[in-house]
Amino acid sequence: GFTFPIIDVQDQVDSGVYVHRGYDGVSDSLFGTQVTFSGAGLTHTFYIPEPLYILQPRPQGFEYLYLSGTRYLPMPVNKDMTIEWNPDPENVHGVIVFLRRSQTPSLDRLNYAEVFEDNGKASITSDVLMQFGAGSDIKIEVFRGNCYQATNPAGELVTVVGKAGAGTAITLQ
């Protein structure tokens, strides 16, 4: 395991350590392990999930998009869509899948969210996709994580978060 100091504790403010893949130079070696966080009068050990990679719908590179003339990977609006990722058998909290219509203003972008078991596969029904409509550009995001929150002896709220996520995009046809 690893031990990390809890930093930036502010009185009655959500603060602490956030471990997020690809953020703040956090090492990939932390993911998929038990990590101990200590400081501010608290010590806690918990599981940081494995890094997450979306396998389907497969993220497309710039060359594919340029050569095909599409903005994002085309996906039929009238068929169920399967999202696949690398599962983490140790993650008991599941994953959350977000579908966001990219044309919608940022303050009202969240159009669909659902929690699934972290077994590597989720099905989004055509009923959900048809609510977005043909021609919609949809960003798909999948996250898994763990969180610990406690009040230390000084009365400060300390939050420790470990999460991993990935995204891709489709255009509904």
Side-chain angles (χ1 to χ4, degrees):
F2 296 88
T3 301
F4 272 79
I6 295 175
I7 55 174
D8 297 331
V9 176
Q10 301 168 24
D11 188 35
Q12 298 300 315
V13 175
D14 179 19
S15 59
V17 173
Y18 293 82
V19 176
H20 182 340
R21 185 169 190 280
Y23 181 70
D24 282 346
V26 172
S27 169
D28 277 354
S29 63
L30 293 179
F31 294 88
T33 65
Q34 295 287 330
V35 178
T36 300
F37 294 89
S38 64
L42 296 172
T43 298
H44 185 71
T45 300
F46 77 145
Y47 180 71
I48 305 280
E50 292 280 349
L52 193 143
Y53 306 98
I54 294 179
L55 307 173
Q56 286 294 338
R58 187 177 183 93
Q60 299 297 319
F62 175 75
E63 287 117 10
Y64 168 84
L65 299 176
Y66 178 76
L67 294 174
S68 68
T70 62
R71 214 174 133 174
Y72 299 122
L73 182 68
M75 189 69 58
V77 71
N78 60 349
K79 292 185 180 177
D80 293 354
M81 176 179 63
T82 300
I83 300 171
E84 295 181 18
W85 63 91
N86 59 311
D88 181 354
E90 299 297 317
N91 176 29
V92 297
H93 301 291
V95 299
I96 188 162
V97 174
F98 295 105
L99 300 183
R100 302 174 193 266
R101 185 183 352 240
S102 62
Q103 298 97 328
T104 307
S106 62
L107 294 177
D108 190 27
R109 290 186 342 170
L110 183 60
N111 298 104
Y112 173 83
E114 187 171 347
V115 175
F116 295 92
E117 288 185 37
D118 194 351
N119 61 11
K121 188 180 267 191
S123 181
I124 308 298
T125 66
S126 61
D127 290 342
V128 170
L129 298 177
M130 289 192 309
Q131 290 178 21
F132 290 101
S136 294
D137 292 336
I138 306 297
K139 293 180 181 175
I140 301 168
E141 298 172 299
V142 182
F143 291 97
R144 58 178 161 226
N146 200 350
C147 178
Y148 169 74
Q149 215 174 32
T151 303
N152 70 9
E156 301 162 320
L157 181 63
V158 177
T159 301
V160 179
V161 176
K163 67 178 180 175
T168 188
I170 60 171
T171 297
L172 295 175
Q173 296 184 335

